[in-house]
Amino acid sequence: YSPDVDGNIWGFVGVEVAHTQYGFVDLTTDKEASTATSSLKRIRVELENKASDSKTLKRDHHDCDGSFEGEFKQYLTDEVITNTDTSGYRPNNNSHTERRNRTLKECFKASLLMATGGIGVYNALWGPGLRHANYCVNRVPWHDGRVPYSTLTGLTHTHNPTQDKVFGQQVFYHKPKETRSDAWDTAGGDAVWVGVSEVVTGGHRVVPIKWDPSSNMYLLGRTLDVPHVKDTGSLIFPLKMGPVLTQVP
């Protein structure tokens, strides 16, 4: 992919297929084996910390790719985790992840369309957008009644309007004093909401925005995890504002 707002160009997608269908997304700037190993470690921590019945990672099935050689393969060996792959690019041999990848992309495209009106200039939100899509897919009832989050954790997810906002809606966040540009900078910042924080308990993930009159569009900042946000009291999607596209005959 082209770089997202945080400079990521790759997304590692994983699915716990044996029991729960719980999915994972980790964003990276490269596909090196060391990076893939770090992603797997983060995925493993989330899986084992959330599991209600002391589940541990027993097998890792992945594409046949250089990202999963060297350090990655050695980590699986050291941790006594069975290592299997698709033996070449055969999507049907990794069908769970391929389907999840398509589902996440479609969810994000729907969210982006709602947030921007389809003007096509804020696609750099794909990184936090895929993470938010994964959060939603894990927590909504599937066609057969399963909810991956509940199956994994034994808990019921209840929609919380204070925390579960709408992707791309306008919010305001508090800027700590040390991050303000000078004494006249405001204590609040304008942003769009892009998800529930994974690192701040009860917090939010936002992308700061700033209107640029020269390009007639908003400039997107890097993703921030903040403890609190304030919305406008109604759904406003500022990213529907952007350059006026002229159709050429």
Side-chain angles (χ1 to χ4, degrees):
Y1 304 122
S2 58
D4 73 352
V5 290
D6 299 309
N8 298 302
I9 57 175
W10 298 99
F12 283 87
V13 176
V15 182
E16 194 288 307
V17 300
H19 307 283
T20 68
Q21 293 297 312
Y22 188 89
F24 307 86
V25 171
D26 196 52
L27 306 174
T28 67
T29 57
D30 62 63
K31 287 182 65 178
E32 297 298 324
S34 59
T35 302
T37 305
S38 296
S39 291
L40 179 62
K41 288 178 179 179
R42 285 189 286 270
I43 288 172
R44 183 183 182 186
V45 167
E46 182 177 353
L47 171 67
E48 296 180 357
N49 283 350
K50 280 186 166 65
S52 62
D53 55 359
S54 301
K55 281 186 174 63
T56 59
L57 184 61
K58 299 295 186 183
R59 181 172 75 97
D60 182 74
H61 184 68
H62 52 78
D63 292 340
C64 188
D65 185 281
S67 303
F68 308 112
E69 298 293 332
E71 181 178 330
F72 186 91
K73 184 179 290 186
Q74 188 61 51
Y75 172 74
L76 297 180
T77 300
D78 293 344
E79 296 297 314
V80 196
I81 298 171
T82 302
N83 181 18
T84 60
D85 62 44
T86 57
S87 300
Y89 184 70
R90 299 177 182 176
N92 289 338
N93 289 356
N94 206 2
S95 58
H96 289 279
T97 302
E98 292 289 340
R99 285 197 299 270
R100 183 61 57 87
N101 195 31
R102 290 195 298 270
T103 298
L104 295 179
K105 287 180 179 179
E106 291 304 313
C107 288
F108 166 61
K109 286 192 287 186
S111 295
L112 189 65
L113 179 62
M114 172 69 77
T116 68
I119 62 176
V121 295
Y122 299 114
N123 294 344
L125 290 170
W126 70 261
L130 287 182
R131 280 182 164 172
H132 178 60
N134 184 64
Y135 174 90
C136 294
V137 170
N138 279 335
R139 287 163 176 79
V140 298
W142 288 20
H143 69 282
D144 57 4
R146 287 182 299 169
V147 178
Y149 172 82
S150 299
T151 306
L152 176 66
T153 66
L155 304 173
T156 299
H157 174 72
T158 302
H159 177 75
N160 179 356
T162 301
Q163 187 175 27
D164 296 313
K165 298 188 179 298
V166 179
F167 185 88
Q169 80 170 92
Q170 184 180 32
V171 294
F172 302 94
Y173 69 98
H174 176 73
K175 292 193 294 185
K177 187 174 182 179
E178 60 271 16
T179 67
R180 301 173 201 167
S181 58
D182 56 39
W184 308 111
D185 195 1
T186 60
D190 197 6
V192 290
W193 190 91
V194 293
V196 173
S197 175
E198 298 172 357
V199 298
V200 178
T201 302
H204 306 264
R205 182 175 288 125
V206 302
V207 170
I209 58 175
K210 182 178 181 180
W211 181 253
D212 178 28
S214 63
S215 61
N216 198 35
M217 63 183 288
Y218 280 102
L219 303 180
L220 305 178
R222 298 179 68 88
T223 305
L224 299 176
D225 289 280
V226 298
H228 307 288
V229 296
K230 182 175 178 59
D231 58 40
T232 61
S234 59
L235 281 179
I236 296 177
F237 297 102
L239 298 187
K240 288 185 176 181
M241 296 178 62
V244 177
L245 304 180
T246 302
Q247 185 175 5
V248 178

